[in-house]
Each structure stands twice: as C-alpha cells, then as structure tokens.
Amino acid sequence: KTSKTSSKSSAYNALIEIPSHSVCPASVPISIARACASLVAVCCGTDIDTEFRPAIRVQRSSDLALTCVFGVAFRMDLWGNSPEGFILILQELTLRYGNVPGGQILRRQIPIQTFLDYIRSAGTLEHSTEYPEIADGLTDILQHMLLASLSHRKDIRMAERDIAACMGALSDSPLGSLMAHMVLNSLLNILEWCNNS
C-alpha cells in the first residue's frame, strides 16, 4: 500500500508541475478562433455602451454569456499557445467587459485571485508579437474588476482581498511579464482615475 500511495503521490506532483503551455495545443486553427470570437460576440450581446442599457447588462450577465466567457474565452489551456487566436477573442471581451458595468459583472462571478490564476496559465502568450495588445486588453478587464471591488460600499474586505491578490501576483512575477504588466498598469490607471475624479 505504501509503495502504491507514494507512486500515486509522485505522479500527482509530476502532473501539477507540468508547465501550463505544455498542455496547450501547439496551435488552434485561426478559423476556429474566429468562430469562437463570433460565439463570444453573439452570446455576450452587442458591443455598444452599456452604461444606460439595462437589457444589455442582463444579457452580459446571463448564464449563456458567462458560460461562454469562462468556458471558452478564458480557457488558457486551449489558447495558451495561440496568441493570434486569443487576441480575436480578447478584442470581443474587452469591448463588452472592459468597462465599469462589465467589470462589475465579472467581479460578481469570480474574485480577482481566480482571474489572475486564469492568466497565470497563459502559456507562451507573452512571447508573441501580439503581446502588447493582449496585455492592454487584459489590463482593461482587470482594472474595471478592481474598480468594482474598490467601489463596493458593503464589503471593504472584498477590495482588501483583491488588492492582496494583485500584490501577491506582482511579487511572484518578473518585471516585463504579462502578469506584472497587467497588475502595475491596472493600479496606475486606477490611481490616475482617482486623481482626475
């Protein structure tokens, strides 16, 4: 029993230490990426401003939309080695969730720590030519999720946990990495927004 248990433990440890990019497909055909981007666009509603459109907010927070976001768009085990495909999907996501209402919707569904964990397994995206656009799109989403928690009037601890998650991610990430870019620029943008408000 002891040998079986130790072999199972060794196999499990070996599995969790596999780099995320090694479990991603070598590449996803661009036609599939375009189809998935179209799926996000259809399921999550039009890309017009949602500030005064309650019906669109309802659509973007629907089970169908959120299943598409978390089940397709943020599946880094699928897109981790396909930056040219992921950027197509991210463009659709940023149009819909890279704003105040969109950030509130996503933050109600997952904590910042979970979002950062999604991106932490982003494979080789940060070594691609699409890196600047990917980093800026993810920064928009993270920034507005943070604004949602920082402006929450009933749960101060939510903001404390989210900021702590960002600081932890930043301390674990080398400068120049996708994670460092996202966290630093999100916080800088929020500080600038506060200064101008």
Side-chain angles (χ1 to χ4, degrees), residues 98-178:
N99 49 49
V100 173
Q104 292 171 344
I105 291 169
L106 292 183
R107 183 57 189 84
R108 287 192 197 107
Q109 301 301 315
I110 58 170
I112 295 293
Q113 182 65 65
T114 303
F115 178 74
L116 295 175
D117 288 341
Y118 278 131
I119 308 308
R120 200 187 305 275
S121 58
T124 59
L125 293 181
E126 62 187 29
H127 304 299
S128 67
T129 56
E130 291 84 358
Y131 168 74
E133 196 172 352
I134 289 174
D136 289 344
L138 291 172
T139 297
D140 280 344
I141 294 174
L142 176 59
Q143 173 188 336
H144 288 94
M145 289 179 70
L146 279 171
L147 280 173
S149 60
L150 289 169
S151 60
H152 199 289
R153 297 180 180 179
K154 296 182 179 180
D155 192 353
I156 296 176
R157 290 185 179 180
M158 176 193 294
E160 292 176 349
R161 289 191 298 269
D162 287 348
I163 293 297
C166 287
M167 293 299 98
L170 187 59
S171 65
D172 291 340
S173 305
L175 289 176
S177 66
L178 178 60

Side-chain angles (χ1 to χ4, degrees), residues 36-102:
C36 289
S38 298
L39 184 65
V40 171
V42 170
C43 293
C44 300
T46 178
D47 59 356
I48 65 172
D49 187 5
T50 63
E51 194 70 36
F52 303 106
R53 297 293 296 274
I56 297 176
R57 286 200 195 191
V58 169
Q59 185 177 12
R60 291 189 187 168
S61 58
S62 67
D63 289 343
L64 180 63
L66 295 174
T67 298
C68 185
V69 170
F70 298 116
V72 176
F74 284 141
R75 288 295 301 271
M76 292 305 177
D77 55 340
L78 175 61
W79 304 111
N81 287 333
S82 302
E84 67 284 348
F86 181 64
I87 192 62
L88 297 176
I89 293 171
L90 184 59
Q91 286 169 349
E92 300 295 344
L93 282 177
T94 306
L95 287 171
R96 292 159 178 80
Y97 296 99
N99 49 49
V100 173

